[in-house]
């Protein structure tokens, strides 16, 4: 990637590519003087321009400008020229411009960490973005130092996007969590800074459910212990305390997408299914919902957790809950590391109250593959490593080729749609807003994407600013303290962009304002 800092671990095969030929659209339909535009410039390497502003953006405009809509035919102010180039760099070559071709700028840069599926990287690259693919997680210090080079970031579960990281990156527009959970991101603070966060809540459900089934069978037959003995040269053919899973009871805590899929799989093995959830949920098959967690713990031969990490679930399973489980039962956690007291689990296994367990997630996890799963992550780690019939796995619940391809496709598409079209459907921290596509028949369209505080009077202000233009379509929604407005206006000349942008940016409730202009491909970009 040109003009970028070296990135350790980056796969150099992933880089920006040139887009296809553009379809020209009519120019200067408003009959404005050619002198107000100047020389033409060819298009840049992306099909959509994005103007970004945050409360700390460096762009400024003259307060003496009397009209925010009709800026006149004079040249743009020097303070605005960088931002104006960023917009006009993506207009068709037939659109008259005043900037020199060699001064073009505006390429959107995307960082993908933690060895995210390469199909996702290739997809974003093929949309005209510059993509860096890194195999490991970055620390908070690395994110603060290096993330300012990027407008979007993709992460999995190890990279933590904290308030400090967000505040250090005012240029950041979107975070893609290529996993189920989003607890590694400060969602509220991201929303307050106008950063949309996307995830893939369902794509790896089957992979996790299948892992649980495999662990149930492995634990009931003590397969891990027998394998370790064989590797040590010990032949130990026994049947004591080895069981079939047919006829046994599985207790599922959290009957969402994973829990319900697991329910169906468990029944197909002849297991009885009980489940506990905080809300009433229609069972699948012959599964039965119980009223309390205590009831489930007392009935189940296998207890498996499938809950998010929220305040109500942290340490929801501890010494008291393990004591309520049957003697000789099994415990499985493939949910989140902080929902279980692992010291208490170690004690339950050491005392033989539990016959075995499987743990895939931990309160703290190493940032990269290799040595590091030791007492630095918690005093319980050496204890767990020494107990029998315990399956320890390195957070691989969703780590299958099928799941990672599905997650990569879903989240990369969400990131692409938000950066390119402003679509926030599927965002976990943001109002969900979308507009239908702009077609090649839409002359000089500008899409306004305005994130603002949810206060009275904002829509009136924005519509007053856009009053002299034809508002083709508009949609707004709010979520808590944050609101998001999208509006398409047509027939916008270059000489008007500065006024529109500056007026919206300087409204009282502004968090982030972007202006997007469409460049049509051979096909309509948004079907």
């Amino acid at each position: 990637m040109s003009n970028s800092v070296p990135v350790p671990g980056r796969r150099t095969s992933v880089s920006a590519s040139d887009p296809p030929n553009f379809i020209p659209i009519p120019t200067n339909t408003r009959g404005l003087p050619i002198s107000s535009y100047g020389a033409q410039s060819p298009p840049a390497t992306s099909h959509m321009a994005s103007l970004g502003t945050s409360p700390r953006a460096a762009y400024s405009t003259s307060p003496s400008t009397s009209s925010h809509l009709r800026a006149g035919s004079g040249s743009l102010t020097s303070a605005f020229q960088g931002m104006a180039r960023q917009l006009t760099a993506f207009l068709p070559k037939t659109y008259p411009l005043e900037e020199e071709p060699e001064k073009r700028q505006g390429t959107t840069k995307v960082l993908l960490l933690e060895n995210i599926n390469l199909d996702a990287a290739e997809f974003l690259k093929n949309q005209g973005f510059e993509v860096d693919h890194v195999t490991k997680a970055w620390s908070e210090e690395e994110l603060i130092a290096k993330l300012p080079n990027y407008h979007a970031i993709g992460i999995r579960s190890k990279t933590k996007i904290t308030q400090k990281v967000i505040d250090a990156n005012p240029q950041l527009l979107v975070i893609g969590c290529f996993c189920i959970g989003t607890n590694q991101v400060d969602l509220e603070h991201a929303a307050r800074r106008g950063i949309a966060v996307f995830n893939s809540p369902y794509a790896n459900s089957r992979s996790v459910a299948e892992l649980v089934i495999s662990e149930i069978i492995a634990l009931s037959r003590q397969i891990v212990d027998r394998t370790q003995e064989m590797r040590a040269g010990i032949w130990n053919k026994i049947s004591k305390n080895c069981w079939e899973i047919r006829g046994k009871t599985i207790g599922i805590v959290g009957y969402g997408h994973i829990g319900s899929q697991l329910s169906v799989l468990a029944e197909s093995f002849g297991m009885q299914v009980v489940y506990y959830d905080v809300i009433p949920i229609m069972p699948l098959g012959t599964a039965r919902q119980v009223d309390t967690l205590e009831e489930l713990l007392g009935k189940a031969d296998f207890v498996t957790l499938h809950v998010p990490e929220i305040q109500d679930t942290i340490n929801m399973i501890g010494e008291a809950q393990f004591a309520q489980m049957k003697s000789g039962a099994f415990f499985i956690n493939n949910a989140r590391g902080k929902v279980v007291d692992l010291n208490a689990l170690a004690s339950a296994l050491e005392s033989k109250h539990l016959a075995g367990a499987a743990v895939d997630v931990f309160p703290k996890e190493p940032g990269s593959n290799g040595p590091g799963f030791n007492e630095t992550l918690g005093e319980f780690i050496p204890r767990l490593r020494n107990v029998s019939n315990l399956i320890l796995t390195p957070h691989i619940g969703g780590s299958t080729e099928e799941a990672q391809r599905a997650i990569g496709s879903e989240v990369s598409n969400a990131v692409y749609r938000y950066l390119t079209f402003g679509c926030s459907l599927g965002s976990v921290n943001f109002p969900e807003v979308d507009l239908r596509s702009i077609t090649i028949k839409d002359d000089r369209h500008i899409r306004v994407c305005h994130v603002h505080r949810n206060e009275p009077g904002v829509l009136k202000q924005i519509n007053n600013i856009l009053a002299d233009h034809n508002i083709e379509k508009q949609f707004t929604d709010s979520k808590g303290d944050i609101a998001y407005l999208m509006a398409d206006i047509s027939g916008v000349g270059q000489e008007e962009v500065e006024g529109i942008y500056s007026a919206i940016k300087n409204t009282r409730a502004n968090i982030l304002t972007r202006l997007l202009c469409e460049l049509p491909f051979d096909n309509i970009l948004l079907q």
Side-chain angles (χ1 to χ4, degrees):
M1 183 182 69
S2 61
N3 300 323
S4 63
V5 297
V7 181
R10 189 183 92 189
R11 300 192 178 185
T12 56
S13 61
V14 182
S15 59
S17 61
D18 292 331
N21 294 329
F22 300 113
I23 300 175
I25 61 176
T27 63
N28 201 13
T29 56
R30 299 169 70 100
L32 296 165
I34 291 296
S35 60
S36 69
Y37 296 112
Q40 297 182 4
S41 175
T45 58
S46 179
H47 56 275
M48 178 80 76
S50 171
L51 309 185
T53 175
S54 70
R56 294 179 292 160
Y59 302 132
S60 62
T61 55
S62 172
S64 63
T65 303
S66 60
S67 172
H68 51 260
L69 295 176
R70 299 289 184 260
S73 61
S75 62
L76 301 177
T77 62
S78 58
F80 186 74
Q81 284 178 355
M83 187 275 290
R85 268 200 305 277
Q86 190 179 14
L87 173 67
T88 59
F90 301 96
L91 292 173
K93 62 177 67 179
T94 51
Y95 197 109
L97 304 172
E98 64 180 345
E99 297 297 336
E100 298 294 332
E102 61 272 12
K103 294 181 180 179
R104 292 176 299 157
Q105 56 179 295
T107 300
T108 301
K109 297 180 180 180
V110 180
L111 172 66
L112 301 180
L113 298 178
E114 301 187 60
N115 205 25
I116 287 169
N117 184 265
L118 275 174
D119 290 346
E122 290 294 338
F123 169 78
L124 293 170
K125 177 197 71 174
N126 291 335
Q127 307 313 311
F129 301 124
E130 287 194 12
V131 181
D132 280 338
H133 187 272
V134 180
T135 58
K136 71 179 189 70
W138 278 4
S139 66
E140 184 179 70
E141 292 74 20
E142 289 176 303
L143 290 168
I144 291 172
K146 301 175 183 179
L147 191 55
N149 296 295
Y150 301 93
H151 307 95
I153 183 173
I155 61 174
R156 294 178 71 184
S157 57
K158 295 176 183 176
T159 301
K160 311 300 181 185
I161 308 295
T162 63
Q163 177 176 336
K164 189 175 180 181
V165 170
I166 291 169
D167 288 342
N169 290 276
Q171 85 298 335
L172 193 62
L173 298 173
V174 59
I175 299 169
C177 296
F178 287 73
C179 51
I180 291 179
T182 55
N183 57 294
Q184 68 274 40
V185 179
D186 189 329
L187 296 177
E188 292 185 4
H189 196 67
R192 288 194 293 267
R193 292 296 187 182
I195 302 171
V197 180
F198 298 92
N199 71 331
S200 180
Y202 316 126
N204 69 357
S205 300
R206 178 71 179 199
S207 296
V208 178
E210 288 187 3
L211 178 64
V212 174
I213 290 295
S214 71
E215 290 170 335
I216 289 174
I217 295 173
L219 289 171
S220 64
R221 298 295 297 273
Q222 301 181 19
I223 290 175
V224 172
D225 287 358
R226 299 294 86 78
T227 299
Q228 290 175 338
E229 290 164 354
M230 293 289 282
R231 289 182 179 276
I234 300 172
W235 184 274
N236 189 19
K237 182 180 178 180
I238 60 173
S239 59
K240 186 178 180 180
N241 294 325
C242 294
W243 314 94
E244 293 181 356
I245 68 171
R246 178 180 55 176
K248 306 303 187 295
T249 299
I250 180 174
I252 302 173
V253 182
Y255 202 69
H257 286 81
I258 296 174
S260 56
Q261 282 206 42
L262 174 60
S263 173
V264 174
L265 292 176
E267 275 201 20
S268 71
F269 278 86
M271 302 188 77
Q272 300 176 26
V273 180
V274 296
Y275 64 92
Y276 170 73
D277 204 293
V278 294
I279 59 175
I281 299 178
M282 180 76 71
L284 299 178
T286 61
R288 182 171 62 86
Q289 184 167 9
V290 296
D291 294 330
T292 65
L293 176 61
E294 290 74 19
E295 182 180 355
L296 179 142
L297 295 174
K299 288 180 178 293
D301 301 300
F302 296 86
V303 174
T304 176
L305 304 186
H306 302 284
V307 297
E309 182 186 308
I310 58 176
Q311 194 61 41
D312 291 339
T313 62
I314 294 176
N315 285 329
M316 68 178 295
I317 303 294
E319 182 178 356
Q321 288 71 35
F322 288 124
Q324 292 166 358
M325 291 178 63
K326 288 182 177 181
S327 177
F330 301 86
F331 177 79
I332 297 170
N333 181 25
N334 291 335
R336 286 289 179 262
K338 292 184 179 180
V339 303
V340 178
D341 180 346
L342 290 180
N343 270 312
L345 174 60
S347 297
L349 291 168
E350 290 166 347
S351 68
K352 303 299 182 181
H353 175 65
L354 295 184
V359 181
D360 185 51
V361 289
F362 303 87
K364 295 180 181 180
E365 297 178 357
S368 60
N369 291 342
F373 184 67
N374 52 41
E375 64 278 359
T376 61
L377 303 176
E379 61 181 8
F380 45 79
I381 298 296
R383 297 177 66 192
L384 293 177
R385 289 171 60 179
N386 288 323
V387 295
S388 60
N389 206 23
L390 173 62
I391 300 172
L392 297 173
T393 50
H395 204 151
I396 58 170
S399 296
T400 62
E401 293 286 352
E402 295 89 347
Q404 291 308 306
R405 281 197 296 267
I407 291 171
S409 175
E410 181 177 359
V411 180
S412 62
N413 269 280
V415 169
Y416 160 69
R417 290 195 304 270
Y418 183 71
L419 289 173
T420 307
F421 306 113
C423 170
S424 62
L425 295 182
S427 175
V428 297
N429 70 327
F430 228 57
E432 296 187 78
V433 176
D434 191 20
L435 292 177
R436 69 180 185 272
S437 65
I438 300 172
T439 73
I440 60 176
K441 295 181 180 180
D442 296 325
D443 177 34
R444 292 187 184 177
H445 258 65
I446 295 293
R447 174 164 290 181
V448 177
C449 300
H450 178 52
V451 185
H452 57 89
R453 294 189 297 275
N454 188 16
E455 298 176 359
V458 174
L459 186 59
K460 179 180 179 180
Q461 283 184 300
I462 301 303
N463 285 337
N464 284 338
I465 292 171
L466 305 179
D468 287 351
H469 291 271
N470 184 31
I471 301 179
E472 298 280 352
K473 42 191 177 289
Q474 186 181 69
F475 184 25
T476 185
D477 197 7
S478 62
K479 185 173 184 177
D481 296 332
I482 306 300
Y484 184 33
L485 165 72
M486 289 177 65
D488 285 355
I489 55 177
S490 59
V492 181
Q494 182 197 6
E495 84 292 349
E496 299 171 297
V497 171
E498 174 186 1
I500 295 171
Y501 172 83
S502 181
I504 296 175
K505 182 195 74 152
N506 289 318
T507 53
R508 182 186 67 254
N510 176 75
I511 294 176
L512 177 77
T513 297
R514 290 194 295 155
L515 301 185
L516 306 178
C517 62
E518 184 72 39
L519 269 190
F521 285 142
D522 293 333
N523 299 303
I524 303 306
L525 289 174
L526 184 57
Q527 301 297 336

